Amino acid sequence: MTDKPTLVKCLVWDLDNTVWDGTLLEDPDVELFPGIRETIIELDSRGVLNSIASKNDYDLAWKHLEKLGLAEYFVHPQIGWGRKSDSVAEIAERLNFALTTIAFIDDLPTERAEVNYHSDAVRCYDATQAGELTGLPEFSPEIVTVDARRRREMYQASFRRDAEKETFNGPDEDFLRSLDLVMAIKRADEVDLSRVEELTLRTSQMNATGVHYSDADLRKLLADPDHEVLTVTLTDRFGPHGAVGVLLLERHPRLWHLKLLATSCRVVTFGAGAVLLNWLIDEAARAGGHLVADFRATDRNRMMEIAYRFAGFTTDACDCLTVLGEAAADGLQHLHLVADRRDASTTMSLTAPELAVAAETAVRPG
Ligand SMILES: [Zn+2]
């Protein structure tokens, strides 16, 4: 048995004699090597980002990439006269990726050595290997989710959003309103679950329970009438944020038990967690019930505890808790709330299933 290599999340390309056959400054009509376009597009469709570290004139090189129809595929291109190790480090920093997930391809051994001298974590490939990359395990994620396929689009949307925020004058709430945020909560299907698995693995700090439900666990519950598995996506006028949350709820008569709530740290600043909790509380109120959330403090989910407290959850005792049995055994707390009606969010619009209606149907005898 061999360990699977760490997946590459971003491949950084040299241009001259790597992407194209020649030197742009000597030949303004330099052409792509065969197969390069296909490789870039294939990696992009797998959710592997492409970037550039090239010693070239920026305007000239970018215009040429536009002419070749490839410019849109590259994020944070570093084209100039600096060291390639600096370019690679800059790309990793802007993407917030560890260097172990960055790869670099260049025809010059000296450039590869320079990059590796500053960080041996970056995997370097010779330009002659370009055609093999898509066959290598480090470039081959097992599951390519909907979000992975449009990862570049999501990053590019976030760059535009961040740039707009930099120049926005006014309160944060006004900026949020200007985004036209739409949160979509839906009952999960099989496809959604592959998206949220990635999410729950990456967002442990926002996992309120500190308990991981595997993809298989959640799949089993999809058909269970007592459970709701819900996924949350967020979109705004700049583009998609992708899947940003997952929620597992077990219904008891008069009591809804929130067993899992994980939201992406990417959307904390948009207040997505609070909007989601308020929606759930309102639904529970319409069903006339109490709400209990599992919570286990970890050193990374303090934000979630604050969100629960802010929403009104307490550790106070309530008769409804007897249904759930003892919680304290392994540090698990039951945070409790008598659900009350909540106002809709003023910063985003929401589409969601009507849980309350289904709940009434579920508890009605006969
Ligand atoms: Zn209660």
Side-chain angles (χ1 to χ4, degrees):
M1 223 175 82
T2 52
D3 285 338
K4 268 182 274 177
T6 305
L7 285 173
V8 170
K9 291 166 76 176
C10 179
L11 173 62
V12 180
W13 295 82
D14 166 51
L15 294 176
D16 289 342
N17 296 306
T18 298
V19 163
W20 48 60
D21 186 4
T23 304
L24 183 64
L25 282 173
E26 292 164 8
D27 174 9
D29 296 317
V30 71
E31 286 181 22
L32 293 176
F33 278 117
I36 290 290
R37 180 189 307 279
E38 291 74 9
T39 298
I40 290 168
I41 293 173
E42 174 60 24
L43 291 175
D44 184 73
S45 74
R46 294 179 186 182
V48 179
L49 301 177
N50 290 282
S51 187
I52 296 170
S54 166
K55 290 178 177 165
N56 249 308
D57 177 83
Y58 183 91
D59 291 337
L60 207 59
W62 195 248
K63 278 202 184 79
H64 198 58
L65 286 165
E66 283 178 334
K67 199 173 93 183
L68 293 166
L70 285 177
E72 67 184 283
Y73 289 97
F74 295 104
V75 296
H76 292 312
Q78 304 294 307
I79 304 170
W81 304 103
R83 294 192 311 195
K84 298 221 174 177
S85 59
D86 289 339
S87 296
V88 168
E90 174 76 16
I91 292 161
E93 193 186 318
R94 290 219 204 163
L95 290 170
N96 198 20
F97 287 176
L99 286 168
T100 50
T101 66
I102 305 282
F104 173 64
I105 183 164
D106 197 304
D107 62 303
L108 293 175
T110 48
E111 296 289 18
R112 300 197 300 272
E114 194 272 327
V115 166
N116 270 154
Y117 177 77
H118 291 278
S119 170
D120 57 9
V122 176
R123 278 165 283 179
C124 292
Y125 301 85
D126 183 79
T128 57
Q129 294 174 276
E132 308 158 17
L133 297 182
T134 56
L136 298 176
E138 59 268 38
F139 291 94
S140 307
E142 255 172 73
I143 304 166
V144 179
T145 63
V146 182
D147 286 346
R149 275 196 289 279
R150 52 182 192 180
R151 183 163 292 139
R152 170 179 49 87
E153 197 193 335
M154 283 160 51
Y155 273 97
Q156 287 169 333
S158 77
F159 306 151
R160 290 194 299 272
R161 192 180 295 119
D162 291 349
E164 176 112 343
K165 189 162 200 283
E166 291 268 302
T167 59
F168 188 88
N169 288 312
D172 283 355
E173 193 158 317
D174 289 355
F175 177 71
L176 286 183
R177 280 201 197 91
S178 79
L179 291 176
D180 299 330
L181 285 155
V182 178
M183 178 183 278
I185 302 166
K186 69 183 280 276
R187 292 194 165 99
D189 58 27
E190 298 274 337
V191 175
D192 296 325
L193 283 189
S194 63
R195 303 169 80 178
V196 300
E197 188 179 33
E198 189 175 0
L199 176 77
T200 52
L201 287 173
R202 285 181 183 196
T203 57
S204 52
Q205 71 268 45
M206 296 306 289
N207 183 333
T209 51
V211 177
H212 280 292
Y213 284 85
S214 72
D215 194 38
D217 293 336
L218 290 174
R219 253 167 235 282
K220 268 182 248 159
L221 294 171
L222 286 182
D224 184 330
D226 294 330
H227 282 86
E228 294 276 8
V229 184
L230 302 162
T231 57
V232 185
T233 55
L234 198 62
T235 309
D236 66 27
R237 67 187 166 89
F238 290 100
H241 294 262
V244 300
V246 60
L247 199 147
L248 172 65
L249 191 69
E250 182 175 6
R251 291 187 225 261
H252 299 275
R254 317 290 297 164
L255 166 67
W256 287 5
H257 182 196
L258 183 57
K259 296 165 128 180
L260 169 68
L261 173 62
T263 58
S264 166
C265 46
R266 286 181 288 118
V267 294
V268 169
T269 51
F270 302 100
V275 171
L276 193 55
L277 271 180
N278 268 333
W279 167 77
L280 183 65
I281 292 165
D282 190 60
E283 285 291 312
R286 282 156 41 123
H290 293 193
L291 199 55
V292 174
D294 284 349
F295 180 75
R296 177 182 287 132
T298 68
D299 52 3
R300 304 182 70 194
N301 67 359
R302 173 93 183 119
M303 295 268 299
M304 213 69 203
E305 182 172 17
I306 294 168
Y308 279 127
R309 299 287 183 179
F310 195 75
F313 285 86
T314 69
T315 47
D316 297 349
C318 178
D319 287 346
C320 76
L321 290 166
T322 53
V323 181
L324 305 179
E326 272 304 310
D330 48 357
L332 195 69
Q333 287 179 284
H334 284 148
L335 300 180
H336 175 269
L337 175 86
V338 179
D340 53 339
R341 296 300 308 268
R342 299 286 165 111
D343 292 333
S345 167
T346 58
T347 51
M348 61 180 84
S349 55
L350 195 71
T351 62
E354 295 214 6
L355 298 188
V357 175
E360 281 160 16
T361 313
V363 297
R364 195 170 294 147

